[in-house]
Amino acid sequence: MQARRSQSRASAKNRYSLSPRPSQQLALDQEHQVLNSTVTIERLLRVLSCHEVELNYGSGFALGPITADFGPGVTCIVGVNGAGKSTLFRVLAGVQKPRHGNVSRADNLQIGYLPQDVDLPSRATCSDFLHYVAWLYNVAAVSRQRAVRSALEQVKLGEFERRRIKTLSGGMQRRLAIAHALVHDPKILLLDEPTSGLDPIQRLSIRKLIAALGSRRTVIVATHLLEDVRALDANILLLANGKALFTGGVAELEAKGDPQAPGDSHLERAMATLMGVVS
């Protein structure tokens, strides 16, 4: 009798099973694949995010609130001197904590940070300097030499690894400074005014390097040089007085320019228009 009851339960369970039929299962699997792909794409498009970030200084300067997502490729944070670019950079890099809001990284990815001013040890060789930086970043000893060579190759300084830093040109020293932010192979790279103080040829070289780096990782560049932004054809976050005025592409920003606004280019006129600058 007990055996018949068990068989009856099993029969009913099979008859009224909630398990999908093969055709239903295929449809569900396809739906799950789409959902998983969407989640993956959204995560990739939000490699680094800041939400309602605010920071106040005793001088009266206030950054934010700023909400922005940074994805693969190159993004330029643009603004005049004093707009808050370096302050936002320090917050994104984790060097400075915001008073309000938060910064998040997809999968806790590592960050490489190049501040505006880097004090390079002039008597050290390029290789020795980067070995020291790799040690600071906890790059394993067995991997350190390979990491140093890779960073130097990426910035086109592979043949200068034994050269003392003081013998390098200004442009080469700037590339070495970028290598110091690359040596631990970060997927997010923050470059604060990387072309500042360089001559036109040196700036062209750095722009090509930034474009190449942006093809393999998320690169965020702080700059006030609009010709660099135009050449990189980057995504843009426009800052003024600590506030975000615009986010989008170069063409989108240029379209917002008033033809009567001051400036020698579409980008300059657009920036002047959004900032309320009159001639």
Side-chain angles (χ1 to χ4, degrees):
M1 187 68 174
Q2 184 65 34
R4 283 198 299 272
R5 286 199 191 100
S6 298
Q7 290 173 351
S8 178
R9 289 194 194 99
S11 177
K13 184 177 180 181
N14 289 333
R15 194 183 318 137
Y16 301 110
S17 174
L18 296 178
S19 299
R21 294 189 297 274
S23 60
Q24 293 175 317
Q25 184 64 54
L26 178 60
L28 285 171
D29 288 344
Q30 291 173 337
E31 183 179 351
H32 288 159
Q33 288 176 359
V34 171
L35 288 173
N36 288 336
S37 297
T38 301
V39 170
T40 299
I41 291 170
E42 287 181 352
R43 189 172 72 245
L44 288 174
L45 293 177
R46 296 178 179 177
V47 177
L48 181 67
S49 299
C50 61
H51 179 70
E52 295 295 320
V53 163
E54 294 182 43
L55 184 65
N56 294 352
Y57 282 100
S59 61
F61 176 80
L63 176 72
I66 292 177
T67 296
D69 296 319
F70 303 93
V74 181
T75 298
C76 289
I77 299 178
V78 183
V80 298
N81 291 333
K85 303 185 299 295
S86 294
T87 301
L88 178 57
F89 249 50
R90 288 194 294 272
V91 172
L92 293 175
V95 175
Q96 199 161 3
K97 292 189 67 173
R99 182 181 65 82
H100 178 74
N102 62 80
V103 176
S104 60
R105 286 172 279 160
D107 302 323
N108 202 31
L109 295 173
Q110 281 194 311
I111 286 180
Y113 173 46
L114 174 68
Q116 189 169 351
D117 297 309
V118 180
D119 188 15
L120 298 173
S122 61
R123 295 180 62 83
T125 66
C126 297
S127 178
D128 289 343
F129 169 59
L130 291 184
H131 269 278
Y132 173 67
V133 175
W135 172 76
L136 289 178
Y137 275 118
N138 295 315
V139 176
V142 295
S143 305
R144 215 168 286 158
Q145 181 62 32
R146 184 170 64 250
V148 167
R149 284 179 178 168
S150 174
L152 287 171
E153 290 294 339
Q154 287 183 74
V155 300
K156 310 301 181 187
L157 289 178
E159 62 187 287
F160 299 98
E161 64 176 328
R162 301 313 306 171
R163 286 273 295 271
R164 293 193 184 277
I165 295 172
K166 65 181 180 181
T167 67
L168 303 178
S169 68
M172 293 169 71
Q173 289 191 19
R174 202 60 182 161
R175 280 190 273 157
L176 180 62
I178 293 174
H180 115 283
L182 281 173
V183 73
H184 57 303
D185 193 28
K187 300 307 176 188
I188 303 170
L189 191 60
L190 305 178
L191 306 176
D192 194 355
E193 300 284 1
T195 63
S196 180
L198 301 181
D199 66 39
I201 301 301
Q202 292 169 337
R203 283 174 50 208
L204 177 62
S205 173
I206 296 297
R207 285 203 301 255
K208 288 181 178 179
L209 171 60
I210 291 170
L213 294 172
S215 69
R216 301 188 295 275
R217 50 175 57 84
T218 296
V219 180
I220 306 173
V221 179
T223 183
H224 63 279
L225 300 171
L226 293 183
E227 55 266 43
D228 287 351
V229 178
R230 191 71 186 84
L232 289 167
D233 195 22
N235 295 313
I236 298 170
L237 169 60
L238 176 61
L239 291 183
N241 298 317
K243 304 293 188 291
L245 299 184
F246 171 85
T247 57
V250 171
E252 295 174 75
L253 179 55
E254 289 178 331
K256 294 184 176 295
D258 182 343
Q260 303 305 315
D264 296 324
S265 68
H266 293 306
L267 267 181
E268 287 181 352
R269 287 188 285 273
M271 186 171 172
T273 300
L274 292 178
M275 294 176 63
V277 177
V278 294
S279 56

